Amino acid sequence: MKDTFRISSLRTVKSPSDPSVTTYFAWVNMRNLPDDMPTKVNPREVNMRTTTAKKLLDAVSNADPYFDIHNRGMVLLANGVKFESSNSTLEIDFDDEEDRYGVLDGGHTYEAIKQRRKDIPEDMDKFVRLEILVGNDLDVAALSDARNTSVQVSDIALFNLEDRFEFIKKAIKDQPYGNEVAYKDNEDKRIPIADILRLMYAFNIDNFPDDNTVPISSYSGKASVFKDFKNELAAHHLITDENKPDPKNIYLKLTPWIPTFVKLYETIEVELPDKYREYKDGKAKLGAVRGIEHKQGQTEYTQTGKEYNISSGFIMPIYGAFRALLKNTSDGKLDWYFDPIEVWNSIGTALVQNTFDTDTNPNSAGKSKTLWQANYRIVENEKNRRRIEQLEQMQF
């Protein structure tokens, strides 16, 4: 879709770090702002009942003319922008990909303007600033995480104050990264708790029991992951006397396996280059792939040495496929059909091949339901093959 509207001022800036990215800063009279811009790309739900939202509503309709100075405005992702200087109109092309283009940040501001601009005094013009980013290779997930942090971080910090992460803290306290997880705002530690939650979310077999639904949000954003964790605690609440969740809570059941999740993720991250070489018969350079940098470094959790920096958009659809190996046991816990590391050793090359044959754009790969489903089926087929082999051995 495209929106065309009159603007009051426009500035255009090429990114010095990536000249293919252009940012347009436009100041728009609130009365001229379109009311149909897509908002699906924004991971934060709009809730106009909060105190902050009510202040925004008042800021739109009150007699203070300096909204564009006091408010940080809205951030949009667009496929293209055209400006017609003869009549000061701006055309924004959002294409048809609502999960890629639209209002990335400032959803509450946008909703407040739509609800209250009719109440702006007739003799007053009020403006909102739009920051519109255009670029073929923009990483939507990374931008979303960077631009939508304030509410999420505060919510996570609040959960920490209420000891809602206590069962996770206890589970990883003896791990080498146990004291490196940040549960508070601005805590000087290497690993955000959101990263741990993402690893667990990808193995939530209550929500994602097969290949019909896939945990793409473990790659695409923190908001959905934290919301799921929060909702699970609400559904299977804390047992106050023991300060731990109800045993039916999927995250409680996943917690003992956090070290395994970490080991699996980092094993894939470290060994993916070797699997890629096997898949390409050593004839292609992984560092030439977008989203992969040939640079010595260390993994996030265990600080293990690695040869490449690899976008999680390639790793997560492989990592998440191994939930096919997880099962519920008769005593209400979780266990593995087979050791996921051992299975990775057997079929890792096939998973890497399927991933890079499907897409070499990390953002597209990370959000590709088709890729997640196909990788899951590869692991599931290996699981079924091994189970049949076990049964045959029992018969003899």
Side-chain angles (χ1 to χ4, degrees), residues 167-305:
F167 65 103
I168 294 178
K169 293 179 183 179
K170 290 179 180 179
I172 63 174
K173 65 181 178 64
D174 295 328
Q175 297 300 313
Y177 47 86
N179 292 323
E180 293 297 330
V181 177
Y183 300 93
K184 301 177 182 178
D185 289 345
N186 302 317
E187 195 170 5
D188 186 20
K189 294 188 177 181
R190 289 188 294 105
I191 306 166
I193 180 59
D195 287 359
I196 298 285
L197 296 181
R198 280 177 166 178
L199 294 184
M200 299 171 75
Y201 179 88
F203 280 81
N204 185 340
I205 59 173
D206 281 2
N207 287 351
F208 310 103
D210 49 40
D211 65 350
N212 289 321
T213 56
V214 295
I216 288 175
S217 290
S218 59
Y219 162 70
S220 63
K222 299 174 185 175
S224 296
V225 172
F226 179 65
K227 181 180 178 181
D228 188 68
F229 178 78
K230 186 177 181 179
N231 288 346
E232 184 68 9
L233 286 185
H236 303 296
H237 58 274
L238 290 171
I239 300 174
T240 306
D241 293 342
E242 301 177 30
N243 194 29
K244 67 179 183 180
D246 184 311
K248 295 179 181 179
N249 186 306
I250 184 63
Y251 287 96
L252 178 66
K253 294 196 289 184
L254 289 167
T255 297
W257 297 111
I258 291 176
T260 303
F261 298 151
V262 168
K263 182 178 180 181
L264 176 61
Y265 185 92
E266 293 196 340
T267 298
I268 295 170
E269 182 180 20
V270 171
E271 296 183 359
L272 187 149
D274 291 333
K275 304 295 185 185
Y276 185 85
R277 292 185 189 103
E278 290 177 16
Y279 145 52
K280 290 290 188 178
D281 294 326
K283 298 177 181 178
K285 293 183 178 180
L286 182 61
V289 178
R290 181 189 310 169
I292 297 179
E293 181 185 15
H294 191 188
K295 182 179 180 181
Q296 298 290 329
Q298 294 179 313
T299 58
E300 179 181 21
Y301 298 93
T302 63
Q303 300 287 275
T304 300

Side-chain angles (χ1 to χ4, degrees), residues 321-322 324-325 347 351 375-383:
F322 286 86
L325 301 178
I347 62 171
L351 288 166
N375 280 350
Y376 181 94
R377 290 165 190 156
I378 290 173
V379 178
E380 186 175 43
N381 287 340
E382 176 65 11
K383 176 191 73 177

